[in-house]
Every structure is written in C-alpha cells, then in structure tokens.
Amino acid sequence: MSRLLHRISRRVEEMSHLRFTIYDLRVFRQFARKWYIINRKLLWLLQIVVTLVAVQLTSISAIAEQRFPPPDFTETNHQLPITTTPAARAEWLQYLDVAVLFACLGVAVWLIYRKRSRRGVWALSVFSLIYFGFWRQGCICAIGAPQNIILGLFEPSYTVPLTVIAFFAAPLIVALFAGRAFCAGVCPHGALQDLLLIKPIKVPLWLEHALGVLPFIFLGFGLTFAATGTGFPICRYDPIVPIFRLNGPGLLIFLAALTLVLGMFVGRPYCRFLCPYGALLKLTSLASKWRVRVTPDICTQCQLCENSCPFGAMREPSSGTVEPKFLKADRRNLGWLLLCVPVLIAGGAWVGGELSVSVARLNPTVELAERYINQQKSPANYGVMTPEALSLQRAERDPEALLKAATDLRHRFWLACVVFGGWVGLVIGVKLVSLSLRTLRTDFEPDRGACFACARCFRSCPQELVRIGQMPASELPARNAAQLAAAAK
Ligand code: SF4
Ligand code: SF4
C-alpha cells in the first residue's frame, strides 16, 4: 500500500513538473518563436553569403584579368573585358548635375517636412537612382568628394573643381537644417539599397553601436590615403558603383553582389556600417534645426513607428526617474570614460606613428624608391618587363628626385598616420562616452543622426493617420487598445 502511495505521489509530482513546463513554454512562446524566425533568417543569409564566397573562390582565376602584362589567350581566343569609366563631361553638363542636385535636395526637404509623403520620397529615390546612379554611373557623387577636398588642401598643384565642392558641401549644409534629406531620396547609393529592401531583420542594438564606428574609421582611412596622394580608397572600394556601371574588377563585383543580397534583409547596410559621407552627415544632422517627427500630435507610445523603421533609428522613451545610487554610479563611470578618451587618442596616435613606415609602402613612389635602393645594393636581372622593372628603369633617369619625393611622402605619411590613429582613438572614446549617457525622451523619437528621413514611419502612426484624415478619430481608442494588448502579449 505504501509503495502504491509513493508511486502515486511521484506521478503527481511529475505531472506538476509537466504543467510547469507547458506553462513555461506558453510564457516564452512569443520569445522563442521570434528567435526561431530570426535565427532562420540569419541562417538563410549565412547560406547566401557562403555561396557567394564559394562562387568567388571558384572564379579566382578571373583575377588574372588584373595582371600586367595581361595574360595571353591566343589558344582560346578569349577577349579580355574592358573596364569602363565614365568619359569626361562637358562643363555645362557638370553644372547641370549641380542644378539637379540642388533641385532634388529642395524637393526632398519639401516632401519630408511639408508633404510628409513616403510615396513622394520613393519617387524621388527612383529618379535619383536613374539620374545619378545609372545615367551618371555614380560619378560625380558626394561620397568620394571629401577625398578631393583633402587632396586639394594638401597638394597645391591639385585643383578641386567647383562642381565637386558643390556636391561635397550642399548635402552637409542641408543636413544642418533638415537632417539627412540627401540620404532620404537624393543619394543613388541609398536609393538602391532602400528600394531593394524586402524583409528587414532587426540588427541588435549592441551590434548597431559596434558597427556604427566603422564609417568614421573608413572616413579617416580614406582621407589619410587621399592626403598623401596615394589614392582614393573610398571610390576604389565602393561596392555600389559596379552595379551602376554594370562593370568592375572581380572583387568589387563580388562585394556588390554581397551588398545587394545583404541589403534585401538588412536595411541599408552600406549606409549604416560603411559610408564615410554618411558619417559626416550623421554629425551635421545632430545639430540640425528641424528634425523628423513621426507625428506632430500626441504620441500614445503604441510602438508602431519603431516596428516600421527598418534602420533601427527609432529610439524608445527613457524610463522615468533614475535612483540616486544608479545616478552616482553612472556619473563615476562617465568620469572614468572621459579620462580614457585622451589615453585612447594618445595610444592611437602612437600606434599610427609606429605603423606609418609600413603604411607608406602602399604609396607607389615610396615603394619604388625602396626598390631602387635595394636594387643599388644587389642589381637584379629582369628577364620579363614587369611594371616594377619598367618603373625602375624610369627611376634610373632621375633617382634624386625620386628619393626626395619618397622622403617627403614618408613625412606626410607619418603625420597622416598619427592623425588617423588619434582619430580612431577619438571615435572609440566618444562612442563609449555616448553609450554611457542617458538621453531624456518622453516619446518615441527618431535618432537625429541615424534617421535617414525615409518617411516610412509617418503613416504607421494612428495619430498621424487621423491628422491627415485617413482614419476617423473615433477609431483611435479601439486601435490604441488593440495595439497595447498586442504589445503586452
Ligand atoms: S549614408 Fe552614404 S550611401 Fe547612404 S544615402 Fe547617405 S550618403 Fe548615400
Ligand atoms: S524616417 Fe527615420 S525613423 Fe522613420 S522609418 Fe525612416 S529612418 Fe526610421
């Protein structure tokens, strides 16, 4: 009898455990389902990326197309593809580009702030994509312009065309007043990614913050190379331009395909995590006079606008008051972080200075001078006329000028690398400080720097729909209650 009772009590205990498990599953059902979907999407994305990498690796022989002298295909009669770059444009056409840019910026501001029309911004994006993207083939563009400006400052013999100055300055000036209106519908890079977006995945905030420093670092990197006359890496490694030109080196075509595939599931990956001009626009729009508002009326905090933003630019209201003990701890942390900033800058500058000699070798003049010096020590025998041999032969004609130019460049590189290292330290330091700051927000608000002013969130807001007469005000309480219930689930 006692055995039977013991068995029954064990069974009851097991049943209660089972009930607990089912209850548990119910509670976490939403959470688990969400993570299952996100993980499935990520897995799918990973598969596509792996396939693209595999395709690129199998076609690695295509890189031979970049060789100098080019390979001989006499047996197969293969014709080497010709890489095209846009032809020089007549002056009046360059001014036409500037006029179109000004007009598009004006229309963008009007559509975002006056008409508050997503459809209008979409139509403008299509126009910009066709005009600045496929017709102008991504050149002239604002993204590469900072490199021209910096080279013009460091190299007196280099003249920056007025049109480039206009493309550099106009979007930034507009951003000072109206945020990222340029990104909303004028930049062809942004327009392409915006139009391709199919099913956006929410990027975790920590990852967004971590990757958010990359555009600033890439900007510093591009300016370092441009200031030393080594090249324009921002243009050279632009993954969108090959799409506009339907042409480009193998590596860039691969990057373009990767960006396109990624852009279908991650909102504007290039804009958010790489664009150096976007970094400048982010800074200027932090000080903008007007800012994007989801609704000029009352925010009921239904969270619909946050869900409608595919770029993670919407910020939640801050949670009430903070307890004094937490406030004290926050202040102490902030103090430590502020002390860390000069250390990071100094450390970065030191590392930059140390690396400057190696980095300077990426400059063709410095590299040639080093080869020349080495050749003097042990003369080499060049059978085949490689580009290096050809350059050395030419260097023989005026070695003094070559060595002097290389020495000047080394100094310039040292300075540029020290500044770049310090810049990287500053960027990381400021990011850490900004993360430790609390921003007081009473409503859901777009982050001024991160918001692309795409106008997607406007029509997601029930208050806004009532304001513009697309929904009767009487429906508002029922809709809000439904939203709050859905949010609470
Ligand atoms: S972030 Fe850069 S690429 Fe994106 S829209 Fe703005 S300027 Fe263009
Ligand atoms: S306007 Fe700004 S906050 Fe609204 S959806 Fe677009 S990027 Fe997001």
Side-chain angles (χ1 to χ4, degrees), residues 142-143 180 182-184 187-191 193 268 270-272 275-279 281 452:
I143 300 169
R180 298 173 77 165
F182 175 71
C183 299
C187 173
H189 288 52
Q193 295 168 83
R268 296 192 182 218
Y270 176 76
C271 299
R272 282 156 84 191
C275 177
Y277 194 69
L281 286 167
F452 293 108

Side-chain angles (χ1 to χ4, degrees), residues 292 308-311 313-314 446 450-458:
V292 168
S308 72
C309 177
F311 311 121
M314 195 62 74
C451 173
F452 293 108
C454 71
R456 271 189 181 84
C457 52
F458 296 172

